[in-house]
Amino acid sequence: MGDWTMRPASDADVEAVAELRAVVMRGDLERLGRYDERRVRQRLRDGFGAAHTWVIEVRGAFAGCVALRPAGDARWLEHFYLAPHAQGRGIGSAVLRALLERCDRDGVPVRLNVLQGGAARRLYERHGFVVETEDRVDVFMLRPPSP
């Protein structure tokens, strides 16, 4: 688990992140009847903001990303993707813990959305996120700051 690091993203990372998104979300999007080869990448490109994004590297190689975007009195956790070879090793939990500790120090809640039926929801629930609302495709979750 200690073989990973995070570095600030740059605009040059957008294509690697878009490709990773297409890979890791494909199964859930297909299950929901929402997978589109072009759209899955373009939505990432359209919403990518390097200023609030970090690249996750494992042994110096690209393995994922995560964004924490300020929005009013909260932060939105977005674009949290780990390559299949990096999943199940505790990296996602460690990254999430580090970001949540930062938000706790700042006293701000964190919001996110996950796809219905996706495994990521269990990760977020283990870290204190609760469902605010949901629809046929998305589950919107909130984690208030911990004291």
Side-chain angles (χ1 to χ4, degrees):
M1 186 169 92
D3 60 349
W4 66 273
T5 58
M6 286 195 327
R7 65 165 173 82
S10 73
D11 290 338
D13 293 310
V14 70
E15 289 306 317
V17 173
E19 188 58 35
L20 178 60
R21 180 179 196 266
V23 169
V24 300
M25 292 189 68
R26 184 176 189 140
D28 284 333
L29 289 170
E30 284 178 339
R31 178 179 45 77
L32 294 167
R34 310 275 297 189
Y35 186 77
D36 177 294
E37 191 78 28
R38 188 197 65 76
R39 187 171 186 253
V40 69
R41 290 170 177 84
Q42 192 59 48
R43 285 195 65 185
L44 182 284
R45 290 178 192 117
D46 292 344
F48 185 79
H52 303 291
T53 304
W54 293 269
V55 168
I56 301 162
E57 295 179 338
V58 174
R59 294 187 195 116
F62 176 83
C65 68
V66 62
L68 193 61
R69 178 178 54 84
D73 63 348
R75 303 290 180 269
W76 274 90
L77 183 71
E78 301 173 317
H79 309 306
F80 193 6
Y81 311 118
L82 278 178
H85 74 272
Q87 295 176 11
R89 298 172 49 191
I91 296 169
S93 289
V95 168
L96 185 56
R97 253 190 322 275
L99 294 174
L100 293 176
E101 286 171 6
R102 180 179 303 176
C103 293
D104 289 345
R105 281 192 305 271
D106 294 342
V108 295
V110 180
R111 289 191 154 78
L112 59 81
N113 71 294
V114 297
L115 292 172
Q116 283 285 3
R121 179 175 173 172
R122 290 187 299 277
L123 170 69
Y124 297 130
E125 288 172 337
R126 284 194 309 271
H127 288 273
F129 285 85
V130 295
V131 174
E132 277 193 300
T133 62
E134 57 187 296
D135 59 30
R136 187 176 77 71
V137 175
D138 292 304
V139 178
F140 294 88
M141 303 182 82
L142 170 73
R143 181 190 176 271
S146 291

